């Protein structure tokens, strides 16, 4: 139901999409959706078909390969999924998609959920209503 979302957060697995979506929803009343970039979409370096009509609502989340590696290693230690080479490659492929489709990129490395959410709100031009 991307048509109902105010914003759609994009990024690779463990880039912070879900916690930021929840924060935007609970703290700002923003209808936030997220879409994980899986390897099959990253290889194509193209925006997935379901997102194309809504590209203006999309914000790309990225992080550093090291931070992504650390996050993934907590769940799947010693896996290819968590490997630094995989993390670097996926982040670069996602960045190419963001650039190709003029999707703003927000770096989440070394930022809290609140700081990242503030940048996301600024990227969509959100202005808090008086009294709200």
């Amino acid at each position: 139901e991307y048509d109902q979302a105010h914003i759609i957060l994009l990024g690779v697995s463990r880039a912070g999409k879900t916690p930021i979506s929840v924060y935007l929803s609970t703290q700002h009343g923003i209808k936030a959706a997220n879409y994980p970039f899986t390897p099959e979409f990253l290889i194509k370096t193209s925006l997935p078909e379901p997102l194309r009509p809504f590209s203006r609502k999309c914000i790309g989340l990225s992080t550093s390969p090291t931070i992504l590696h650390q996050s993934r290693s907590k769940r799947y230690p010693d896996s290819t999924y968590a490997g630094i080479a995989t993390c670097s490659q996926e982040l670069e492929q996602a960045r190419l998609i963001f650039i190709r489709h003029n999707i703003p990129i927000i770096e989440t490395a070394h930022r809290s959920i609140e700081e990242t959410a503030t940048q996301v709100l600024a990227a969509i031009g959100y202005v808090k209503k008086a009294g709200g």
Side-chain angles (χ1 to χ4, degrees):
E1 301 176 355
Y2 297 116
D3 60 321
Q4 295 179 25
H6 297 122
I7 190 165
I8 304 167
L9 299 177
L10 311 176
V12 300
S13 173
R14 313 304 301 162
K17 298 175 301 297
T18 299
I20 294 166
S21 293
V22 170
Y23 181 84
L24 289 169
S25 175
T26 60
Q27 299 302 310
H28 295 280
I30 299 290
K31 292 180 183 177
N34 67 54
Y35 193 99
F37 278 3
T38 56
E40 72 243 23
F41 291 117
L42 291 169
I43 285 173
K44 297 175 186 174
T45 62
S46 182
L47 195 62
E49 186 64 41
L51 298 175
R52 290 185 186 156
F54 310 108
S55 64
R56 290 182 26 229
K57 297 180 181 186
C58 292
I59 300 288
L61 298 182
S62 191
T63 189
S64 76
T66 303
I67 290 173
L68 187 60
H69 164 68
Q70 290 168 350
S71 176
R72 288 179 173 189
S73 291
K74 289 177 186 174
R75 294 187 121 196
Y76 302 101
D78 302 320
S79 66
T80 302
Y81 163 79
I84 193 77
T86 300
C87 294
S88 295
Q89 180 181 15
E90 287 186 12
L91 288 167
E92 182 56 28
Q93 288 170 312
R95 186 176 304 281
L96 290 173
I97 294 170
F98 300 151
I99 291 168
R100 178 175 289 158
H101 295 279
N102 297 313
I103 294 170
I105 304 169
I106 306 293
E107 293 291 334
T108 63
H110 307 295
R111 290 199 176 104
S112 67
I113 292 169
E114 296 83 359
E115 289 172 307
T116 304
T118 297
Q119 287 196 309
V120 168
L121 292 172
I124 64 168
Y126 175 80
V127 178
K128 190 171 184 173
K129 296 180 178 103

